[in-house]
Amino acid sequence: IDGPVGDPRLRRFELDVVVGFNLESTLAICTLIFGGVLARHPNLDLCFPSGGGAIPFVSGRLAAAAAAPRPWVSDELRSRGALERALRRLWFDTHVHDDGALQLLQRVADPGHLVFGTNFAGWDQDQSKAASPPDTSMLELTVNARRLLRRPHLCVR
């Protein structure tokens, strides 16, 4: 699978698939929030892979940018906690590779908006030599997925 196109620096060390897709998710989330898409579409549900890329890590920086007097920040987004509320509206999968990343995601996202994530048959499928995946046993991932898909009574066998 090829990664996102564009930046030739991402071709080295397979960074296109290792970080390129996460970069694309991060940029998409920022564009949706700062572009006012979420504000204009309050019932829109969007789910992002790999824990939303770098969003959990840069969320404080994004909140600071939203609070600063910038011409491209809406009045609504400037209000205290607005950026955080926007992030908590989004859905994220939990395919983040370690417990620390999952814990950070849980602090930024609504835990009720986290769903199981996988990169089935992807570049990181064989994790036998890597650390074990993060522990998601405390999360209601199946219940969350049913809510995201608007199938609360779906029976799983």
Side-chain angles (χ1 to χ4, degrees), residues 36 53 60 64 84 103 109 116 125 130 142 155 157:
E84 293 84 351
Q103 290 166 7
F116 179 77
Q125 180 182 9
T142 302
C155 194
R157 294 177 192 224

Side-chain angles (χ1 to χ4, degrees), residues 83-112:
L83 189 282
E84 293 84 351
R85 286 189 298 277
L87 289 175
R88 291 180 72 76
R89 270 196 50 200
L90 299 174
W91 293 76
F92 302 95
D93 82 17
T94 58
H95 189 68
V96 295
H97 291 89
D98 72 61
D99 288 325
L102 180 61
Q103 290 166 7
L104 183 57
L105 176 61
Q106 287 177 272
R107 286 199 303 268
V108 171
D110 176 349

Side-chain angles (χ1 to χ4, degrees), residues 6 8 22 29 33 118:
N22 289 316
I29 292 167
I33 293 172
T118 181

Side-chain angles (χ1 to χ4, degrees), residues 42-56:
N43 297 320
L44 181 64
D45 284 327
L46 297 167
C47 185
F48 291 90
S50 303
I55 287 296

Side-chain angles (χ1 to χ4, degrees), residues 69-85:
R70 302 187 189 290
W72 44 266
V73 177
S74 68
D75 290 338
E76 178 183 329
L77 200 52
R78 277 193 184 99
S79 68
R80 185 179 181 115
L83 189 282
E84 293 84 351
R85 286 189 298 277

